[in-house]
Amino acid sequence: MISEQLQKARNFEEKYGKYADIERPAYHVTGTIGWINDPNGFSVYKGEYHLFFQYHPYSNEWGPMHWGHVKTRDFVKWERLPAALAPDTEADRDGCFSGSAIELPDGRQLLLYTGVNRIRRTDSLVEEFQHQCVAVGDGINYEKYEDNPVIDAGFLPEGGDALDFRDPKIFKDGDNYYCVVGNRTSDGSGSVLLFKSADAFQWEFVKVLDACYNEYGRMWECPDFFSLDGKQILFVSPQEMRPIGLEFHAGYGSVCIIGSYDHKTCTFKREKVQAIDYGIDFYAPQTLKTPDGRQIMIAWMQNWTTTFCKRNGSRIHGSMTLPRELTLRDGRLFQNPVREIENYRSRKVSYENVIVKDTITLGNVNGRCIDLNVTVKPFKNHNYKFFRMTFANDGEHFATIRYKSDSSTVRIDRTRCGSSFDIVHVRDFIVSQNKGVIKFRLMLDGNHAELFVNDGEEAASFLLYLDNNDAKAITFEADEEVLIDVEKYDLIID
Ligand code: FRU
């Protein structure tokens, strides 16, 4: 049965969604209309990839959370589906927060999400309670479980906070379902709780899988837990991070904890911790495993601290990154654009061993919907200090990517893109030294820039906030002569 609230959201999408088409990038997922944040329920269902997301159709601001819905066969072209969930039952009357999805043995798709209830206390303060709920459906329509919530405050370990208890990610291990859920502990910082179920409806608490102890931020949101190339990975999105070197920036971060997992005792042991994305606009990543064994990640290409930057009168706000393939190499998380995007490459332009000194441009190397690959190499015995690339350049506005060889750092910079918002526009991160050779792959889609360095060793996502869609020029610059190889494709998503 479709509730009145859900029908209202679907009617709204039907009526207004088409007007947002002029604002959309070519291959980055946006909501049908209104606001979106975290990816939810990123999963395989009946041979297709489904993606849900936090959604407020009625304005370009965050509001009572619904779940929006799209699906794809190749991670590039997405089909819009009607909104999947609305806050319309007692258990989720103040919002259907983030969660995940899985295909059940009987062919139905199960959504596990956080239901929110707010109450006004007698001293007038509003308190929010979060608990985990279930809905099942056929890939379009979902019925909420009558006994929701399925995991409530009564399941919490001692010190666990019922106000910050959200974002279940479900997975199967052996015969059982498990889910990891973000929680706040008595020291005020985050933890990830593990729950277990035989049928995905009746749950029991297993253990605290890992905890923050105020080291990496405070509340840990949107956990994900999966195996990758022989290791076990825990993703968390912490609030209130403090900077650590150039690895973690302040605010809302993305943390990848690499470790090992004992499936019998459900014990996770940390080995290494690194940032997931070194850019500006990235949060709440979620992954799925494809039938051919690839672990694919998608994230919200925004960050809470910059969400107020929006064009006047925009009908949509928020988008997703291009899905990325994850691998582990030498104990490090690598990310690369899904290989399917290469099917949309056209008009190849390539150059080899071009000498760059001062500033140069190259014929037909330009565009705003492109896959640009640049390898920089030292020339003869010259030791260059910096190499810089500008893009989305109209002479007045441009974004830059700069590599400094002495510190082995890359800087992304959108200061000159024309935004009048006083937000973070610059970010630096460390890349590995490789005798002055550095590789960039820039995936550009209108105002969406995703940079991959050294074959995916680092990724950095950032939005440009540039009004001029015709700002297409690309320049290359170095202080000393360097050689570059360039391969550029237009991406045509028909
Ligand atoms: C993360 C988050 C989640 C929550 C959702 C609400 O961005 O705060 O923890 O479920 O957004 O929209």
Side-chain angles (χ1 to χ4, degrees):
M1 237 249 316
I2 295 165
S3 70
E4 209 179 294
Q5 291 94 321
L6 185 60
Q7 193 55 54
K8 185 175 157 217
R10 289 180 169 190
N11 293 345
F12 195 84
E13 292 178 313
E14 183 77 30
K15 187 164 175 196
Y16 295 112
K18 54 183 177 286
Y19 297 108
D21 288 347
I22 47 163
E23 296 177 24
R24 298 186 199 287
Y27 58 90
H28 285 78
V29 170
T30 49
T32 299
I33 185 77
W35 161 282
I36 71 169
N37 55 288
D38 317 353
N40 295 157
F42 189 41
S43 59
V44 185
Y45 180 61
K46 297 206 161 138
E48 294 179 302
Y49 305 114
H50 282 247
L51 174 71
F52 304 80
F53 41 82
Q54 290 289 277
Y55 187 36
H56 183 239
Y58 304 114
S59 77
N60 62 12
E61 309 279 338
W62 192 86
M65 279 291 111
H66 295 57
W67 275 33
H69 192 186
V70 289
K71 68 175 182 179
T72 182
R73 285 179 183 278
D74 73 353
F75 301 110
V76 179
K77 280 178 142 175
W78 297 83
E79 184 186 329
R80 292 195 176 283
L81 295 171
L85 300 179
D88 53 13
T89 64
E90 189 49 32
D92 59 22
R93 60 165 193 253
D94 293 306
C96 300
F97 275 17
S98 285
S100 51
I102 202 161
E103 182 167 343
L104 293 173
D106 64 10
R108 293 178 302 162
Q109 189 180 33
L110 178 133
L111 313 181
L112 180 64
Y113 67 99
T114 300
V116 177
N117 280 183
R118 287 200 190 103
I119 54 156
R120 190 170 289 277
R121 299 189 325 204
T122 44
D123 64 359
S124 100
L125 283 180
V126 174
E127 271 187 349
E128 186 169 290
F129 292 92
Q130 304 180 340
H131 43 224
Q132 319 320 318
C133 298
V134 153
V136 279
D138 60 2
I140 295 184
N141 295 312
Y142 299 84
E143 196 81 43
K144 290 179 181 167
Y145 183 48
E146 58 199 14
D147 285 335
N148 276 337
V150 292
I151 307 176
D152 65 12
F155 289 66
L156 286 169
E158 207 189 320
D161 189 340
L163 274 70
D164 280 310
F165 181 31
R166 57 182 177 273
D167 312 334
K169 173 76 197 276
I170 190 167
F171 58 97
K172 197 124 198 240
D173 191 5
D175 290 338
N176 286 306
Y177 295 96
Y178 289 85
C179 71
V180 282
V181 188
N183 189 217
R184 197 186 287 275
T185 59
S186 49
D187 71 6
S189 75
S191 67
V192 172
L193 308 182
L194 182 72
F195 295 87
K196 178 179 168 185
S197 170
D199 61 3
F201 292 86
Q202 312 293 321
W203 292 88
E204 65 186 90
F205 173 68
V206 181
K207 59 160 56 173
V208 177
L209 195 66
D210 201 354
C212 171
Y213 306 113
N214 284 305
E215 192 182 2
Y216 299 104
R218 300 270 288 168
M219 173 61 191
W220 277 0
E221 302 189 303
C222 302
D224 197 353
F225 194 57
F226 52 93
S227 59
L228 186 68
D229 297 336
K231 291 282 174 198
Q232 190 71 19
I233 307 285
L234 176 63
F235 277 179
V236 288
S237 292
Q239 298 176 326
E240 300 176 64
M241 289 279 284
R242 285 173 204 275
I244 304 179
L246 292 179
E247 188 63 24
F248 296 106
H249 58 79
Y252 292 87
S254 59
V255 175
C256 168
I257 306 173
I258 302 169
S260 63
Y261 187 55
D262 181 334
H263 293 256
K264 277 212 189 84
T265 60
C266 298
T267 307
F268 176 63
K269 255 206 202 130
R270 282 191 201 183
E271 287 164 15
K272 272 180 103 177
V273 181
Q274 65 163 95
I276 302 173
D277 188 281
Y278 294 85
I280 307 171
D281 301 292
F282 184 95
Y283 197 64
Q286 201 174 70
T287 68
L288 61 71
K289 195 173 225 76
T290 59
D292 64 5
R294 292 175 291 157
Q295 196 78 26
I296 309 287
M297 173 185 77
I298 194 165
W300 184 35
M301 202 163 156
Q302 265 291 342
N303 197 285
W304 285 106
T305 39
T306 52
T307 49
F308 60 88
C309 299
K310 45 182 82 112
R311 287 183 174 163
N312 280 341
S314 58
R315 299 170 180 87
I316 47 174
H317 188 68
S319 51
M320 298 296 161
T321 61
L322 174 64
R324 301 175 186 172
E325 296 185 12
L326 303 181
T327 48
L328 273 188
R329 282 186 229 164
D330 302 326
R332 200 179 155 77
L333 181 75
F334 274 63
Q335 305 164 53
N336 281 294
V338 271
R339 63 194 65 169
E340 286 86 345
I341 190 73
E342 290 164 31
N343 299 332
Y344 297 89
R345 284 171 160 180
S346 75
R347 299 199 279 261
K348 176 176 176 177
V349 181
S350 71
Y351 293 87
E352 266 182 43
N353 293 324
V354 178
I355 298 175
V356 179
K357 173 82 175 86
D358 302 329
T359 303
I360 67 158
T361 56
L362 293 172
N364 291 324
V365 176
N366 52 35
R368 282 289 283 284
C369 193
I370 57 170
D371 179 349
L372 174 68
N373 298 266
V374 179
T375 305
V376 186
K377 303 172 283 189
F379 183 54
K380 294 190 179 150
N381 293 327
H382 299 303
N383 283 325
Y384 69 98
K385 290 200 175 53
F386 77 84
F387 168 80
R388 184 167 22 224
M389 203 162 90
T390 74
F391 62 98
N393 192 334
D394 63 8
E396 188 186 347
H397 306 107
F398 52 85
T400 66
I401 293 164
R402 185 201 64 190
Y403 171 61
K404 267 177 88 181
S405 57
D406 53 355
S407 54
S408 206
T409 50
V410 169
R411 166 171 291 189
I412 53 167
D413 188 346
R414 63 178 178 193
T415 312
R416 302 283 160 195
C417 287
S419 170
S420 51
F421 288 98
D422 183 17
I423 53 167
V424 170
H425 289 300
V426 177
R427 200 144 269 160
D428 292 307
F429 54 94
I430 295 172
V431 300
S432 65
Q433 293 266 13
N434 188 18
K435 297 189 180 119
V437 176
I438 182 153
K439 281 170 128 181
F440 294 117
R441 181 169 180 196
L442 176 66
M443 307 300 296
L444 194 56
D445 180 7
N447 272 326
H448 291 67
E450 292 181 69
L451 177 68
F452 299 86
V453 183
N454 290 338
D455 299 314
E457 179 190 79
E458 285 82 24
S461 312
F462 54 119
L463 293 168
L464 304 184
Y465 297 111
L466 182 72
D467 283 331
N468 180 5
N469 294 332
D470 292 325
K472 289 186 177 155
I474 294 171
T475 67
F476 305 98
E477 181 192 351
D479 63 318
E480 287 262 355
E481 286 175 325
V482 295
L483 292 178
I484 57 170
D485 297 338
V486 177
E487 201 173 280
K488 188 220 99 177
Y489 301 88
D490 290 332
L491 293 171
I492 300 185
I493 323 294
D494 39 21

